[in-house]
Each structure stands twice: as structure tokens, then as C-alpha cells.
Amino acid sequence: MIIRHTSSPLKGELSIPGDKSISHRSIMLGALSDGLTEATNFLTGADCLSTISCFRQMGIEIEQSGSHVLVRGKGLHGLKAPSAVLDAGNSGTTVRLLSGILAGQPFTSVITGDSSIQKRPMKRIMTPLQLMNAQIHSVNNNGCAPLEISSANLRAVDYSSPVASAQVKSCIMLAGLYADGITSVTEPVVSRNHSELMLRYFGAEVSTCGRTVSVKPEPVLTGQKVNVPGDISSAAYFIAAALLVPGSEVLLRNVGINPTRDGMLRVCSAMGADITRVNEDLSGAEPCADLLIRSSALKATVIEGEIIPTLIDELPVIAVLAAFADGTTIIRDAAELKVKESDRIAVMTENLKRIGCDVEATDDGMIIHGGKMLHGAAIDSRKDHRIAMSFAVAALACDGEMNIQDGDCVKISYPGFYEDLNSLVQP
């Protein structure tokens, strides 16, 4: 995929595809509910389609027409044993959250994914599930997928997670729906709370106290209408592009601004970005707003601590912003980047150096000395969608052209990304 520098400003407006996290959860909770769940603005990326495929294998009727999805749920105990291995594709969310549900089922199942998923750490969910008496093990005995999960009587736990991960927290909460008492999870830092919000919306009893969330077992979940807001992780690339290309003004419609996910906006503000929230809607389970972004001269900042879980997926494109910003940006406490679709610390550092950026990798982040003239180069995305999209944005502000290897990997989360980006470039 070749992306060229633009000398024209970006202008226009976009409706961002649905939030990936919320789209996944709408299928999962819809399947476990009584009655019909209708999801609009559902993300049709490969990851979310993997979740649909897994539940269809377990007897759930799901109708999909573009971004409109109907799930005919069969209740908490309505899933059937799959006749084949469940394939999560490239989706870590599917593997980890679905493992929590499978742990409470009266049948044996195996869940796996592509070569990338089979390298990602699963002990972080296996350990708490085993404490709940779940029968789960790594088929290859390496702490990774494929995972085999067998029938068990789950017991409630009060688990202190060593990592701030919404996937870990959600896995335990979903298993807790089938446990023998109240299940609690305490995190070192609060991670995104989409599972808590949606579980309550569907009828579960969920309580939150500081960094601890608790769920009561055996709720009667009822199908709901879910209007999925635009994914702020996808919006991040257009925010960055509009900030970097001089003279740009872009309006992004209906973007999720959940405070456990809005770290990108807070970091941009600290860097001097001109971003205005308009038409805020706080009436649903998930808050959303339109975002008006104007090009800005950016300055360096320090990104660390409690804000990290709120922007972990946006850190690659934030690193691109830092490369163009004045001064030295430091990213700390982000070791989680090493176990994403790629080692994003290593891959971002390698590729930023290729375009002329002065950057150093650290054990838990990066030190980026911004403000140098940057140029196009051959970029190895490692088939990581967030790497590919980040350097597509960088290309617009770099001299020359960017050649992004395996650039079509963006279909994992944003099939129409390049078309939407091109639509903003003025002729």
C-alpha cells in the first residue's frame, strides 16, 4: 500500500465505524440473553465477524446486513457444543472473553486463532479461571491458544489482577455469571469499562467500587437495542491526520468518549491540539460526541501511569504525533504493547527510525525526540492493523511516499480505512 505526502489540507466529515470492543460485547451478551438484540453501527471488521462465527457454531441465530445485526439469544444456558474448533481469527478479545463464557458451559470446547493469536499470552486468563475451578489448559502447553475448556462447577473468586486489562477483567466477569456467588476483580489501574456498562444494560447486577468490580451470578439477561458509537481507536487516526496536515479541519461524527477510553483526547490536549467536543450525548450506556479537529502545532508531553489503559491501542498513532511534535515525548508504563498483534514498541521504533525519527525503545515504552524533517520509507507493518494505519497517517505529513507492507491488514478493524482517509484529501 503506497500513501503519498499531501500538500492540501484535509477537509470534510466522517462517521466512524462502530467501536470494536462494544461490537464484540453486543454479540456475546445478546447470545446469552432472552429475546432479540439489535445492534446498529456494528463494526464489520474481521475481528468482530470472528465473534459472530463462533456464536453461530454454538447454535445462536445471527442475522447480519452490513452494520445492522440481529442476535436471537437463547439465554444464559442456551449455548450448544460446537462441532468443530472455534476460530477467533486475529481477535484477542474473542479468545479471552469467550473463554470466560465457555468456562461455564456443560460441554468441552477448543478455541484458537491465527498464528499471531497462538503467540499471545493466555495465562493471564487461565490463572483466574483455574482459581474459579475452570477446566482450561493450553493444548500445546505453552500458555497460548489453542485452549481446551471443559465442563466445571465454577466458584466465585475475589481476584486481584496483576495487569490492568479489560479483556482479563471481562473474562472473569463473564465466567462469574455462572459461578456460585459474587465474583470480584480488582485491577492495579481501572481499564475500559464497556463490559460493566453493557452487563448492567442487559440486566446483570454489577457494582463498582474504586478499582474493584463485582458481578452477581445467574442474572436474567434480556435482549436490547445497542447503538454502537464510533470507535475512538479508529477515530484516532483521523484526529492525528487532521492535526498534522496544515490547514485541516475535520468533523468526526458520533465518536465514543467513554472516560475509560478517552486518553487519546487528553494526550492531544496536553500536546496543544485544537479539538472541540460538540453535540455531546450522555443519554445512553455509552457517552458519545462529535469531534471537530483543526490542524495544530504540537508540543511534546509525558504519557504514563493511570492514563495508559485508556489509550493503549492508540499509542502507535500517538507515537507518530510525537515524532512531529516539538520536544521530547516519553511513553512509560506501556509494556502491554509488547503482547499485542505485534511487539508494538519494537515495531514502532524500527519503523519510526526508517522515516528519520530520533527514537529510542525502552522496556515499557519509547522516548521520541520530535521535530525533525521526516520522509517516506518502506514500512513493515508486521500485519498489525494499528501499525499500518499509523504510518498511513504519517505519510500525509512526510516528504515523498510511504510503502506499507501488508497494508491490507487494516481490514481487521477498519475495512474502509484507506477510502475514508482519501475522502478527506482535497483535490
Side-chain angles (χ1 to χ4, degrees):
M1 178 61 65
I2 295 177
I3 310 289
R4 294 178 175 84
H5 169 82
T6 180
S7 56
S8 301
L10 305 185
K11 299 286 185 179
E13 63 179 67
L14 288 175
S15 293
I16 299 298
D19 186 286
K20 186 151 72 85
S21 297
I22 298 170
S23 294
H24 278 300
R25 286 159 174 80
S26 70
I27 300 299
M28 294 182 183
L29 294 188
L32 301 181
S33 297
D34 294 321
L36 184 67
T37 289
E38 179 182 15
T40 55
N41 199 36
F42 180 87
L43 179 64
T44 57
D47 278 8
C48 296
L49 297 182
S50 292
T51 292
I52 287 179
S53 175
C54 287
F55 278 93
R56 281 176 172 161
Q57 281 185 254
M58 292 186 287
I60 301 300
E61 182 182 341
I62 302 174
E63 301 172 30
Q64 183 209 347
S65 177
S67 61
H68 184 256
V69 179
L70 297 175
V71 183
R72 302 187 187 280
K74 294 188 175 180
L76 201 62
H77 299 281
L79 299 181
K80 295 180 179 178
S83 58
V85 172
L86 297 169
D87 185 359
N90 189 247
S91 177
T93 300
T94 304
V95 173
R96 292 186 176 128
L97 271 63
L98 188 49
S99 291
I101 294 171
L102 294 173
Q105 303 307 312
F107 52 73
T108 297
S109 55
V110 177
I111 186 166
T112 190
D114 64 12
S115 58
S116 171
I117 283 295
Q118 292 180 38
K119 296 174 185 175
R120 294 177 68 177
M122 294 298 157
K123 286 185 179 178
R124 55 180 55 187
I125 62 164
M126 293 170 64
T127 296
L129 288 178
Q130 287 165 350
L131 289 173
M132 297 178 75
N133 197 42
Q135 303 302 302
I136 177 172
H137 75 274
S138 168
V139 171
N140 296 325
N141 295 314
N142 61 356
C144 302
L147 302 177
E148 183 176 82
I149 306 170
S150 302
S151 175
N153 294 318
L154 299 185
R155 55 176 172 252
V157 293
D158 187 350
Y159 184 68
S160 293
S161 177
V163 294
S165 166
Q167 292 182 358
V168 173
K169 174 175 63 176
S170 300
C171 171
I172 299 167
M173 292 174 67
L174 290 168
L177 300 178
Y178 299 91
D180 63 359
I182 296 175
T183 293
S184 299
V185 186
T186 301
E187 299 182 284
V189 178
V190 175
S191 64
R192 61 184 66 175
N193 67 351
H194 301 305
S195 291
E196 295 95 303
L197 293 178
M198 193 172 288
L199 278 164
R200 287 192 192 105
Y201 185 56
F202 276 76
E205 291 191 56
V206 178
S207 59
T208 303
C209 181
R211 294 178 288 110
T212 300
V213 59
S214 302
V215 61
K216 288 186 177 181
E218 295 295 331
V220 176
L221 303 179
T222 304
Q224 301 291 338
K225 290 188 176 181
V226 180
N227 182 21
V228 183
D231 195 324
I232 195 168
S233 296
S234 296
Y237 305 101
F238 301 101
I239 292 171
L243 292 175
L244 292 178
V245 177
S248 296
E249 182 173 299
V250 172
L251 182 67
L252 304 179
R253 296 284 190 189
N254 188 43
V255 179
I257 55 169
N258 182 311
T260 66
R261 288 283 300 283
D262 70 350
M264 172 75 181
L265 299 178
R266 286 184 271 157
V267 165
C268 286
S269 177
M271 297 178 81
D274 184 350
I275 303 175
T276 304
R277 301 185 188 194
V278 293
N279 300 322
E280 287 196 46
D281 182 359
L282 308 178
S283 61
E286 293 281 351
C288 59
D290 298 341
L291 301 177
L292 180 63
I293 305 102
R294 298 183 179 92
S295 58
S296 306
L298 301 178
K299 60 185 179 182
T301 190
V302 177
I303 307 165
E304 62 184 351
E306 293 189 0
I307 200 171
I308 293 295
T310 72
L311 46 63
I312 192 70
D313 287 335
E314 292 78 72
L315 281 173
V317 77
I318 288 173
V320 167
L321 288 176
F324 288 93
D326 182 26
T328 297
T329 292
I330 299 173
I331 300 172
R332 299 192 186 104
D333 304 320
E336 186 72 8
L337 288 174
K338 295 180 177 180
V339 293
K340 292 291 186 176
E341 285 84 337
S342 66
D343 178 343
R344 288 178 178 161
I345 293 176
V347 176
M348 283 301 301
T349 301
E350 170 191 326
N351 285 315
L352 284 171
K353 287 179 177 178
R354 289 184 182 184
I355 67 173
C357 180
D358 183 358
V359 56
E360 308 160 38
T362 65
D363 286 342
D364 63 349
M366 289 171 271
I367 300 172
I368 302 166
H369 306 285
K372 293 180 65 176
M373 291 294 294
L374 303 179
H375 54 79
I379 298 300
D380 186 352
S381 72
R382 306 290 175 88
K383 298 183 179 180
D384 186 328
H385 55 132
R386 303 211 184 276
I387 301 295
M389 289 188 280
S390 295
F391 282 94
V393 167
L396 299 178
C398 285
D399 287 337
E401 65 181 32
M402 202 82 75
N403 187 346
I404 303 172
Q405 182 180 340
D406 294 313
D408 63 349
C409 65
V410 302
K411 67 181 182 294
I412 289 168
S413 64
Y414 201 149
F417 171 74
Y418 295 116
E419 291 81 1
D420 282 353
L421 190 63
N422 287 335
S423 75
L424 297 175
V425 178
Q426 299 302 293

